[in-house]
Amino acid sequence: GLGLGLGLGLGLGESPSPCPACHQNRRRAPRAMAAARVAAAEGDDARTERRRPDALARGNATAMGAPRLVAVLSMLALFFAAGAGANANADASEEEIRSWGCNLNISPLVFHHVGKAGGGSVRARFSAAALNYSTNMRWRDQPWSYYPTEDADGVMHHGRFCLSEYPHFWPQEGRIFEGVSVCKATTPLGQMLGCPMQNRKCECGADGDRCDKVYTGFNPLGTELHWVSPEYLLKQWYPAQPHADARIAELIEAHAAKDAFTLSKKQKRNMADVACPEKAGVPHDMHMSEDFYDRCFDADVARIDQIAEEWWPDPKDWSAFMASLPVARVTVMREPGGWLLSQFFWHMFYRVGADCDDISLATVGAGRTDWRVHELMTSTKGDPAGWLTRIA
């Protein structure tokens, strides 16, 4: 749905085009689809406001220049793009759903990938697509570069690149590249409002009108639930929900009223000695330990999970909830066989006597049910036994 729309979030749009005809079509298409959305919603003011806000109908992105445009569009051809739906109404036509996101330039772009899938090179290209990017410096740490995006009123906004700044949220402690913050929520709403996390480098705007971020990392689908701001959710997500419930709005408003909760480096190393915040707060720049979570957050998360299950029509299927988030997602994919072999050679199992085609050795431990999360997610270089079982 957002495969092309996400390009606008990166600053693609009114740029010199290597294909004039294609460029003209790009300029015409959003106007035509905007008109179609208005026609479909005629007679229903509420739906018109939801489906055709001015920022979506008229917003145009600023030029990046033809060379970078060609490079980024070529890169996007390698991806499977999962669009974020703004309207989950069952009667919405396929054309309306697929046209959502055209000219969208307010939402964060999230790029996720697993290790050994070529995602690191893609991250570098995302970074290089920003203005003021310098090839003489490390691509992952250039705070002066930005993605220029012009809104409907002609105001220029600066989107920022954000690299692996948020942890993974697991029900128990473990080891992974970005680190682990414990969260035992069983519903997406519980993850969103019960286990929020912010980072000073990656925060959305406080007014909720926009979230000008390009986030890349190994994080799994749903990590953005924890860091998309409550102000952004109140303006861009909740009004489009077909199942209105005052309790959900109250939860988001309560979340927006929370103070930032920060710890010193010493406290982060030993959270067992940290007292719970007197007032509910949003953790900043930290990874919550299991003990700290159980003491300070577990009861509130359980309460939100209960409300979520009472509110959502099918608590066993949250796919529509996830699709409704105003976030543009891109995931790079690779076929499993080649990916597993890349893992084998990356961890150098051949150096400790393993053969890449020794399936009996690779699958030791298959069928076990007592694996802990970090055991499944982490390989040990000195012990090749069961490497495929753990990684897969």
Side-chain angles (χ1 to χ4, degrees), residues 70-354:
V70 174
V72 174
L73 289 179
S74 298
M75 176 188 69
L76 292 177
L78 302 175
F79 297 150
F80 166 78
N87 194 319
N89 286 340
D91 62 344
S93 69
E94 181 179 349
E95 290 76 14
E96 289 174 319
I97 293 173
R98 295 180 67 85
S99 67
W100 187 89
C102 294
N103 262 358
L104 179 66
N105 63 13
I106 63 170
S107 69
L109 171 64
V110 178
F111 169 71
H112 289 161
H113 67 100
V114 297
K116 313 282 87 62
S121 299
V122 177
R123 295 199 209 189
R125 303 275 41 87
F126 272 120
S127 179
L131 291 183
N132 292 342
Y133 168 83
S134 171
T135 56
N136 296 323
M137 303 292 291
R138 296 183 65 197
W139 62 267
R140 61 188 65 198
D141 185 23
Q142 299 198 27
W144 55 83
S145 62
Y146 62 93
Y147 305 94
T149 308
E150 183 179 354
D151 66 18
D153 298 320
V155 178
M156 188 66 65
H157 300 269
H158 289 187
R160 301 290 181 180
F161 183 74
C162 194
L163 177 71
S164 291
E165 295 291 346
Y166 289 100
H168 295 227
F169 293 85
W170 293 357
Q172 59 193 28
E173 296 178 44
R175 293 174 293 173
I176 200 70
F177 180 78
E178 284 91 355
V180 173
S181 186
V182 172
C183 179
K184 300 181 181 181
T186 58
T187 67
L189 193 71
Q191 295 273 337
M192 176 192 289
L193 304 179
C195 302
M197 182 69 68
Q198 280 302 336
N199 183 287
R200 58 185 175 80
K201 297 180 181 178
C202 305
E203 289 182 297
C204 295
D207 57 10
D209 291 332
R210 321 177 54 84
C211 187
D212 294 299
K213 297 296 171 186
V214 175
Y215 182 86
T216 67
F218 290 118
N219 309 77
L221 173 70
T223 302
E224 62 275 9
L225 289 168
H226 302 265
W227 59 262
V228 171
S229 69
E231 294 85 2
Y232 185 70
L233 292 171
L234 275 173
K235 286 191 176 182
Q236 311 299 339
W237 175 74
Y238 180 72
Q241 292 302 306
H243 314 292
D245 190 318
R247 294 177 299 173
I248 308 304
E250 290 173 1
L251 286 173
I252 302 176
E253 290 169 353
H255 177 23
K258 293 179 180 178
D259 295 330
F261 179 65
T262 59
L263 297 178
S264 66
K265 291 183 178 180
K266 182 178 180 180
Q267 289 175 317
K268 291 177 183 178
R269 287 194 297 268
N270 189 10
M271 301 188 75
D273 297 332
V274 177
C276 298
E278 295 181 1
K279 179 184 177 182
V282 178
H284 275 56
D285 304 290
M286 70 178 71
H287 299 169
M288 286 195 291
S289 67
E290 190 163 3
D291 167 75
F292 185 73
Y293 171 87
D294 288 342
R295 289 190 291 113
C296 305
F297 288 86
D298 189 60
D300 193 46
V301 170
R303 178 180 66 87
I304 296 174
D305 277 339
Q306 181 178 353
I307 293 175
E309 292 181 357
E310 294 171 356
W311 163 62
W312 194 250
D314 185 0
K316 294 183 178 180
D317 182 1
W318 293 91
S319 56
F321 181 101
M322 296 300 295
S324 72
L325 290 176
V327 175
R329 303 185 187 97
V330 181
T331 303
V332 65
M333 302 177 71
R334 183 176 181 183
E335 50 83 21
W339 177 76
L340 287 169
L341 283 177
S342 291
Q343 291 281 359
F344 176 88
F345 288 104
W346 172 261
H347 292 288
M348 297 181 288
F349 290 130
Y350 57 87
R351 289 191 175 183
V352 288

